[in-house]
Amino acid sequence: MKHYEVEILDAKTKDKLCFLDKVEPNATIGEIKSMFHKSHPQWYPARQSIRLDPKGKSLKDEDVLQHLPVGTTATFYFRDLGAQISWVTVFLTEYTGPLVIYLLFYFRVPFIYSPKYDFTTSKHWVVHLACMCHSFHYVKRLLETLFVHRFSHGTMPLRNIFKNCTYYWGFAAWMAYYINHPLYTPPIYGEQQIRLALIVFLFCQIGNFSIHIALRNLRPPGSKARKIPYPTKNPFTWIFLLVSCPNYTYELGSWLGFTLMTQCLPVAFFTLVGFIQMTVWAKGKHRSYLKEFRDYPPLRSPILPFVL
């Protein structure tokens, strides 16, 4: 059996960082990263980007050496991805913040509103309903992070946690300030509008959870295999017939319901910004499905049926 020699160069300077002798042909990029880590302990595997070209795409950990377009002396290029943090840690942090921050405004702790309103409660029942819905949404997200989601990538750059937390925590504070404000006024169409909004919100929350369960069941534990998601016996998953990312469709519906319920401009703005970001993600996911699967259902749109 022939063995490979592997040299790893710095993608920026082209300096040789490491030379590996007698590497097995069936060695994966993940295993090569581990070997590289032994000679450079400061660069743990999750922090490494190994590529065939200095400006090319990162190779996957499961890529096998003998299946790559390299000779018996393989040259790879290394780029430092920076300090990494687990997706679970990021999600737990960015979702716990809005849950706690919103409740601070709901209970009107001191130094938020005028002192005479400290620890008072709103006279409008929609304010209490909004608090329950907001709390339910983020508790659901936390539980899904712990018990439902399976991540294809274990880590992300540490800097992302600051960006993500600024977004979620900042918007939570802005929304909560106005919804729980002593001068807040209920929606113009009163109880009918609130009840309709609650139905939309709960329907979409159940739908979102159903999609997350369906996606989880597509990927066995410890696997990174990708499959085309299809509707299951659960009616909430039938939207897969029309869109590639129904979890985002339902998420948008939830926040539209919350906007209708509170009739609050900051909530509407958060919904709009979220919709724009989710559309970017959905289009990217849709493109990757089309590229990876030749038999991908042609009727599907990224996020909104027949529209977007």
Side-chain angles (χ1 to χ4, degrees):
M1 180 187 293
K2 66 176 182 178
H3 288 82
Y4 285 73
E5 294 178 342
V6 174
E7 62 174 6
I8 300 177
L9 310 182
D10 188 297
K12 291 182 179 179
T13 65
K14 308 300 186 295
D15 293 337
K16 184 183 288 188
L17 299 174
C18 180
F19 182 82
L20 304 172
D21 191 21
K22 295 184 178 179
V23 179
E24 296 287 340
N26 58 354
T28 63
I29 292 298
E31 290 168 344
I32 290 173
K33 285 182 177 181
S34 297
M35 297 177 201
F36 180 53
H37 177 227
K38 290 178 181 177
S39 60
H40 295 276
Q42 72 272 30
W43 293 320
Y44 45 90
R47 188 167 179 159
Q48 300 173 32
S49 168
I50 301 294
R51 48 191 78 181
L52 291 169
D53 183 84
K55 296 182 179 178
K57 290 185 177 180
S58 298
L59 294 170
K60 297 177 181 177
D61 283 355
E62 55 267 29
D63 286 340
V64 179
L65 183 56
Q66 64 183 349
H67 297 156
L68 295 172
V70 295
T72 51
T73 299
T75 300
F76 295 111
Y77 295 90
F78 160 80
R79 187 177 290 273
D80 181 12
L81 296 175
Q84 300 288 299
I85 187 170
S86 76
W87 277 88
V88 172
T89 302
V90 173
F91 278 9
L92 293 179
T93 305
E94 67 186 34
Y95 296 156
T96 301
L99 180 63
V100 174
I101 289 169
Y102 194 100
L103 290 174
L104 294 177
F105 285 88
Y106 174 73
F107 289 113
R108 296 177 179 170
V109 298
F111 307 111
I112 295 179
Y113 304 114
S114 174
K116 67 179 179 179
Y117 295 115
D118 288 353
F119 297 112
T120 58
T121 57
S122 175
K123 61 183 178 181
H124 305 298
W125 69 280
V126 66
V127 172
H128 308 299
L129 179 63
C131 181
M132 286 188 283
C133 288
H134 189 275
S135 300
F136 173 81
H137 175 75
Y138 282 102
V139 168
K140 167 183 164 293
R141 282 194 171 191
L142 289 168
L143 293 175
E144 285 176 335
T145 299
L146 292 171
F147 303 111
V148 177
H149 293 321
R150 287 179 177 148
F151 302 99
S152 55
H153 299 287
T155 64
M156 68 162 69
L158 178 62
R159 61 182 177 275
N160 283 12
I161 195 171
F162 301 106
K163 178 181 65 177
N164 292 16
C165 287
T166 298
Y167 171 76
Y168 282 105
W169 296 19
F171 265 116
W174 191 27
M175 292 188 294
Y177 177 81
Y178 285 99
I179 296 172
N180 297 290
H181 198 284
L183 300 180
Y184 170 80
T185 53
I188 190 169
Y189 294 108
E191 195 169 305
Q192 283 185 319
Q193 179 175 336
I194 297 168
R195 291 186 186 280
L196 173 62
L198 178 62
I199 292 170
V200 171
F201 177 83
L202 292 177
F203 178 88
C204 290
Q205 287 287 285
I206 296 170
N208 180 265
F209 176 74
S210 299
I211 298 301
H212 286 160
I213 292 295
L215 292 174
R216 170 192 167 85
N217 293 338
L218 270 184
R219 179 179 292 161
S223 169
K224 293 186 179 181
R226 283 160 56 88
K227 300 177 185 176
I228 299 175
Y230 285 104
T232 67
K233 294 179 180 179
N234 182 343
F236 285 97
T237 67
W238 295 353
I239 192 174
F240 266 126
L241 293 169
L242 301 176
V243 293
S244 294
C245 301
N247 49 324
Y248 296 147
T249 311
Y250 281 125
E251 182 77 6
L252 172 63
S254 293
W255 285 107
L256 286 173
F258 196 70
T259 302
L260 185 66
M261 179 188 299
T262 58
Q263 200 170 298
C264 182
L265 190 59
V267 180
F269 190 67
F270 177 70
T271 303
L272 175 62
V273 173
F275 172 56
I276 293 170
Q277 179 61 75
M278 287 188 289
T279 300
V280 173
W281 290 335
K283 283 185 172 181
K285 189 86 169 180
H286 185 71
R287 280 194 300 268
S288 69
Y289 278 143
L290 290 172
K291 186 177 180 180
E292 188 171 353
F293 304 107
R294 290 186 177 181
D295 57 341
Y296 192 71
L299 191 62
R300 294 186 189 182
S301 302
I303 187 170
L304 296 179
F306 311 113
V307 178
L308 188 66

